[in-house]
Amino acid sequence: QSVLTQPPSASGTPGQRVTLSCSGGSSNIGINTVNWYQQFPGTAPKLLIYSNDQRPSGVPDRFSGSRSGTSASLAISGLQSEDEATYYCGTWDDSLNDVVFGGGTNLTVL
Amino acid sequence: EVQVVQSGAEVKKPGESLEISCKASGYSFSTYWIGWVRQLPGKGLEWVGIIWPDDSDTRYSPSFQGQVTISADKAISTAYLQWSRLKASDTATYYCARLSGSASRGHFDYWGRGTLVSVSS
């Protein structure tokens, strides 16, 4: 059972905008910034969004992040087949003194 | 170019010891946290811990405290993850990654390809 809650799966069609959610609490998302990672099967995770809404260089601006209260979201606009991957949110938890991750959302492009 | 290169896959028996490594390059190794993330087969990410190579200040996840040891040799820009007595439940892929930002609020920006550790009798 992950501290951060993500829907296990999501889907969209090419060109569509999809939003992936990450729900936490007052000791984690409520007071700390959120990072998002993208992982393709058999490969290492890749940093997609850091500090809630910052994109590392090289990440397309189709990807955007936001945080509100104890939840965070990752939006992908202009969905492409190459976006099919698992997406993880993560942050620090002040009560657990630990980095916590969501269980991941497996995104399918139909 | 920042690179994190991990050691190869390991097959061990329960009770054996193991040390895996990751060699970083392309940046000042001593002035970034570097850490480890576990991924059990078919499961999500778990933070193991991090180390500040300059003074070996180490932070562990409570879940891994006492179960593993993280170390670093700044002379050769290499971090290590060590087990003294492996268990079958340690079977997983272990990723090494550089942390940018503070110890508790940073983000892993450069990742190694992972080291698969298989423990079976």
Side-chain angles (χ1 to χ4, degrees):
Chain A
Q1 188 81 0
S2 302
V3 173
L4 304 182
T5 300
Q6 297 183 254
S9 63
S11 63
T13 56
Q16 192 177 14
R17 175 185 169 91
V18 297
T19 301
L20 308 183
S21 64
C22 175
S23 177
S26 58
S27 62
N28 44 68
I29 294 178
I31 53 174
N32 292 307
T33 58
V34 177
N35 307 311
W36 290 88
Y37 300 91
Q38 176 190 56
Q39 187 179 33
F40 298 104
T43 69
K46 169 191 168 185
L47 179 66
L48 202 61
I49 296 287
Y50 67 96
S51 297
N52 299 328
D53 57 9
Q54 301 298 301
R55 272 189 314 276
S57 61
V59 173
D61 59 7
R62 303 187 293 106
F63 295 90
S64 62
S66 63
R67 181 187 69 169
S68 178
T70 58
S71 293
S73 297
L74 173 70
I76 310 173
S77 60
L79 194 63
Q80 300 179 4
S81 58
E82 66 209 50
D83 299 332
E84 198 164 278
T86 300
Y87 295 84
Y88 294 95
C89 57
T91 187
W92 180 261
D93 189 296
D94 279 34
S95 294
L96 298 175
N97 256 346
D98 201 356
V99 169
V100 292
F101 290 101
T105 296
N106 186 15
L107 176 64
T108 300
V109 181
L110 302 169
Chain B
E1 179 194 7
V2 175
Q3 289 191 317
V4 178
V5 179
Q6 296 188 228
S7 52
E10 300 276 359
V11 179
K12 306 292 280 186
K13 290 181 168 33
E16 292 186 332
S17 63
L18 174 65
E19 182 179 82
I20 61 175
S21 65
C22 77
K23 183 172 177 61
S25 61
Y27 70 97
S28 177
F29 181 72
S30 295
T31 56
Y32 281 83
W33 293 92
I34 190 162
W36 295 90
V37 175
R38 183 177 82 171
Q39 188 166 40
L40 296 172
K43 301 297 184 182
L45 306 176
E46 299 173 277
W47 187 76
V48 176
I50 54 174
I51 188 166
W52 183 260
D54 196 44
D55 63 2
S56 292
D57 181 11
T58 310
R59 315 287 174 86
Y60 293 96
S61 163
S63 299
F64 290 91
Q65 180 81 47
Q67 307 304 308
V68 297
T69 301
I70 295 172
S71 61
D73 184 341
K74 60 183 180 180
I76 56 172
S77 301
T78 300
Y80 303 93
L81 180 63
Q82 182 181 44
W83 293 261
S84 59
R85 291 185 61 83
L86 285 161
K87 297 175 281 191
S89 56
D90 293 318
T91 295
T93 297
Y94 293 84
Y95 293 102
C96 178
R98 188 184 82 164
L99 188 79
S100 277
S102 68
S104 58
R105 288 160 178 80
H107 50 276
F108 288 116
D109 57 355
Y110 288 93
W111 294 67
R113 292 188 174 186
T115 296
L116 176 60
V117 174
S118 299
V119 184
S120 173
S121 55

